[in-house]
Amino acid sequence: MGTPIAVVGMAVRAPGGIADLDAYWSAILHARDLTGDLPADRRDAFGAAWDGMVTRGGYLDAAFDFDPKFFGIAPKEARVLDPQHRLLLEVAWEAFEHAAIPVAAVAASTGVFVGITGRDYWQWLSGDPNSYWTIGNGHAFAAGRVAYTLGLGGPVFALDTACSSSLVSVHTACRALAAGDCDVALAGGVNLVLAPGTTRAVAQTGALSPQGRSRPFDADANGFVRGEGCGLLLLKRLADARRDRDRVLAVIGGTGINHDGRTATFTTPNVSAQAGLIDTVLAAAGVSARDVGYHEAHGTGTPLGDPAELEAVVAALGRRDGRPLYVGSVKGNLGHTESAAGVLGLVKAVLCLHHRTIAPQANYRALNPRVDLSGTGIEIPAEAVPWDDDRLGPCASTSSYGMSGTNAFAVLSPAPPPAPAAAVPAPRGFPVSAAR
């Protein structure tokens, strides 16, 4: 078995005004569709360039809002700083707060692993370029700025494998922790839709839903809508988290990545590669397929992607003993958040484990007729399901597949019981978190 990794903190931004984990879980539990119309600030900035496209999507509220003074950034620099970088700073700080770990206590040994693909903010910049343009918008600087601002001294990466970027970042972070390259890791991804060019390019692939709805696995699925979001996990080796008496939300038992290789076309999914990756990670983690009670799928809602993915899930996780395996995708709630999709799906899986509940699938009515799940035990949950370990198995898993062909998979187990607390004197006060 590999090195088990503890999730000790999480933070998110998601469409529908969601800025904390409780709101995120509530939206998922109630199967809310958080997509809506293109915000006026994006449309006004580019006008007719948006015309003729499906612009309904999962958009963040006030995506441009930022308090630069909190992070010691001059207003002149903040104005040309990609809002994706700004989001990463905010969500990184909140992940430490959620973990109740002071940044300064672990800064020297903390790494940063960020999935990011978009470069839309370049199109918002006008006038004479200044020294802040490049370091405010290049992908490498997205991760580097988090480390610089918080004083983190571990390995720092920005990763781009398209839609699987953030789960590949989590995988890379877990490997770095296991190798001893760092003792704490921030891992996840970010995505914002700030200009029409990328949306037009995605539309030309035929992947966007003409009706502007993401319907994973559904008979009416005809593509996805673009989505925005940011999610970061704070990770430690499980042994260290238990030693430090950290609250553990879930345990990552294993992760893996591979590539589709040569397929019919560059973007055609490879069922055997997807299934093989699941088999490999489960074996390395010492987890059997029958231990997985819930699988958070990539689930784009595309006519080609969903049937291929479910075929792989059947091959690797399907069961014939009558016990169910539930499969869902948070893209039904958020749209496809692209470079943030994998981590936002992983956060959902952690929350399902933590709350001992499998959430219902948003925007799901009836199974895609191109998919046959009879006799496999696999079900798409139409309503919330209490998590019974004996009936379902104790573990969860999640997949993320990039249009680049890079696949990622992770398997999770519930948090172990906390160690008995030592007797401590009654507190005389309580800490307050604030900027210096």
Side-chain angles (χ1 to χ4, degrees), residues 38-49:
L38 180 71
D41 52 10
R42 327 295 174 85
R43 185 172 292 282
D44 293 346
F46 296 94

Side-chain angles (χ1 to χ4, degrees), residues 288-293 314 317-326 373-379 389-393:
S288 129
R290 70 189 309 274
D291 293 329
V292 179
V314 168
L317 297 174
R319 46 190 60 160
R320 310 289 176 181
D321 60 2
R323 300 164 70 238
L325 166 68
Y326 290 97
L373 297 180
S374 56
T376 68
I378 294 172
E379 299 181 24
D389 286 358
D390 293 334
R391 177 171 172 261
L392 302 177

Side-chain angles (χ1 to χ4, degrees), residues 322-378:
R323 300 164 70 238
L325 166 68
Y326 290 97
V327 175
S329 170
V330 78
K331 292 177 181 63
N333 306 91
L334 312 178
H336 189 349
T337 53
E338 299 165 6
S339 50
V343 71
L344 289 173
L346 185 60
V347 170
K348 175 188 169 184
V350 170
L351 291 173
C352 287
L353 277 175
H354 181 69
H355 290 282
R356 310 307 299 154
T357 302
I358 293 168
Q361 178 58 46
N363 276 335
Y364 179 77
R365 179 185 56 82
L367 185 64
N368 186 326
R370 298 179 61 187
V371 175
D372 182 8
L373 297 180
S374 56
T376 68
I378 294 172

Side-chain angles (χ1 to χ4, degrees), residues 214-217 297-302 306 309 328-332 399 401:
S214 289
R215 300 181 182 278
F217 322 117
H298 188 58
T300 55
T302 55
D306 280 4
E309 181 172 12
S329 170
V330 78
K331 292 177 181 63
S399 292
Y401 302 130

Side-chain angles (χ1 to χ4, degrees), residues 5-10 95 99 101 109-111 113 169-175 177 182-188 232-238 241 250 252 346:
I5 303 298
V7 180
V8 297
M10 303 192 299
I101 296 176
S109 60
T110 297
F113 306 82
S169 295
V170 172
H171 164 77
T172 307
C174 290
R175 289 296 178 92
L177 287 165
C182 54
D183 296 326
V184 181
L186 271 170
L232 288 173
L233 307 181
L234 196 65
L235 307 173
K236 298 176 77 171
R237 292 179 290 271
L238 177 60
I252 301 176
L346 185 60

